[in-house]
Amino acid sequence: MITQCGEGSDPVFAFDADKFTLIHGPILSGGVMGPAVVNPATGRLYIGPSGVSRRVNPKTFEVSENAFGVVQAVDPAAGKLYAIADNTFEIIDGKPDPEVIATKVPLDFSPSGVGVNHALHHLYLSNSAKSCIEVRDLTTGALVTT
């Protein structure tokens, strides 16, 4: 669970999903909460407080900064993370520790959202500047269509 408390370090709380009991928290994010995405392959939580890319270790609950952009989406079947760093779209192998940036794709816009369709092997990036959705290849980030 993520809360916004207005003190500049919005906390995260870890709960047992079966028992609805608190496991750990508050876990201070270090900023005003942004996107929050879990990688089911590793259990790591990726957060973007105040635009800074961070992750929460699922065993120690330690918060650390990432060497890549703010994670927007995950492909649980492949263990891939999809992040935005300014106008660069990043595809990250989320399985190793630390994670490894596999591909960087420069963009002429900063997507406000990213969606993953593993079955069709597509990514969907919202391009509000052109009022469209870009469809991209799930592995390479290459543009397929808009």
Side-chain angles (χ1 to χ4, degrees), residues 66-125:
N66 299 316
F68 45 83
V70 176
V71 177
Q72 303 287 319
V74 64
D75 180 354
K80 300 286 185 189
L81 308 173
Y82 303 95
I84 304 296
D86 296 319
N87 287 6
T88 302
F89 180 67
E90 299 172 324
I91 300 174
I92 301 148
D93 183 351
K95 292 179 184 175
D97 189 5
E99 303 85 346
V100 177
I101 298 172
T103 304
K104 288 186 175 189
V105 179
L107 303 170
D108 62 355
F109 66 101
S110 185
S112 57
V114 177
V116 176
N117 185 328
H118 185 79
L120 293 178
H121 203 70
H122 287 157
L123 294 163
Y124 305 96
L125 279 65

Side-chain angles (χ1 to χ4, degrees), residues 29-31 45-49 52-56 63-66 70:
S29 67
L45 171 65
Y46 296 90
I47 56 177
V52 177
S53 181
R54 296 191 170 118
R55 78 171 187 177
V56 178
V63 178
S64 58
E65 287 195 25
N66 299 316
V70 176

